[in-house]
Amino acid sequence: MAKKTTRTSSTAQVTSDSDAPLTVPGLPTETGHAVADALQMRVHALNDLALTLKHAHWNVVGPHFIGVHEMLDPQIDGVRDMVDTLAERMSTLGVAPNGLAGALVAARSWDDYDLHRADTAAHLAALDLVYSGVIEDHRAAIEAVGDDPVTEDILIGQTADLEQFQWFVRAHLQGTSGALVTEGATAELSAARKASRKR
């Protein structure tokens, strides 16, 4: 890690404008840049999701530890690939992606994940809510980028993958009726408590 320094405006950026004066053929530059700007929050959300999943992977305990621990790694890899795809799409559209932690924290509208060391049911219940938020926002982004079917297609594919990851998580939280044991929970800690009580 680099030592923290105070930067002057002349050294803070190579250029004052992070957008290139171009975009992909067939899209007006303004439209391409607007689509890319919509992707920035998806990059932040997916970077945060990858870190959250890794945190849960490290902190999950209990009798179903190995199954959940090993289930999360492919999801983490998949989400990291999604980040890379969206960041490269932003660059293709002429906008520089920002993957810095400070920018993520400054821009996000959600809090840090609430659990640390906890049993598998608790982590899965909390992760279910995390996935719901990311998926809902991905679906909203699909609508926002409708002027660019290529970007829309990328987000649709990612949403399908995220929904499958959530299905894997939810399979651990469902009873035989199909209902989630966390039904009605709207916060990570309350979902975790509900799931842990059902075990």
Side-chain angles (χ1 to χ4, degrees):
M1 280 256 167
K3 184 177 177 182
K4 188 167 183 166
T5 60
T6 305
R7 298 182 194 186
T8 63
S9 60
S10 63
T11 61
Q13 294 180 325
V14 174
T15 67
S16 61
D17 184 6
S18 63
D19 296 348
L22 56 83
T23 196
V24 294
L27 277 185
T29 302
E30 184 177 299
T31 302
H33 287 197
V35 168
D37 288 341
L39 294 181
Q40 182 60 65
M41 281 307 294
R42 306 317 319 131
V43 167
H44 286 325
L46 292 173
N47 267 329
D48 191 75
L49 176 59
L51 290 170
T52 298
L53 290 168
K54 199 62 174 175
H55 171 83
H57 168 85
W58 291 325
N59 285 290
V60 67
V61 296
H64 303 288
F65 159 76
I66 197 65
V68 173
H69 181 79
E70 290 185 351
M71 177 185 76
L72 293 177
D73 262 338
Q75 293 188 17
I76 295 159
D77 292 341
V79 171
R80 286 177 176 159
D81 287 344
M82 291 177 196
V83 172
D84 195 48
T85 298
L86 292 185
E88 289 177 358
R89 183 65 183 162
M90 288 178 68
S91 290
T92 302
L93 290 164
V95 174
N98 189 333
L100 298 174
L104 188 165
V105 172
R108 72 183 181 181
S109 59
W110 57 90
D111 292 324
D112 270 338
Y113 186 68
D114 285 326
L115 276 66
H116 292 282
R117 181 172 291 134
D119 66 38
T120 55
H123 272 296
L124 291 169
L127 289 173
D128 177 44
L129 292 182
V130 171
Y131 268 120
S132 288
V134 173
I135 291 166
E136 287 168 7
D137 289 346
H138 243 58
R139 285 181 168 274
I142 291 167
E143 297 296 321
V145 303
D147 290 335
D148 178 21
V150 175
T151 302
E152 186 179 46
D153 185 57
I154 291 168
L155 288 171
I156 289 169
Q158 289 185 352
T159 302
D161 289 343
L162 291 166
E163 289 173 352
Q164 185 180 49
F165 294 163
Q166 186 181 38
W167 171 54
F168 291 165
V169 167
R170 284 184 163 182
H172 294 267
L173 302 170
Q174 288 179 293
T176 54
S177 71
L180 294 172
V181 298
T182 56
E183 193 67 41
T186 57
E188 292 164 8
L189 288 176
S190 61
R193 281 191 289 271
K194 278 184 146 190
S196 291
R197 278 197 299 262
K198 294 291 184 181
R199 297 282 174 217

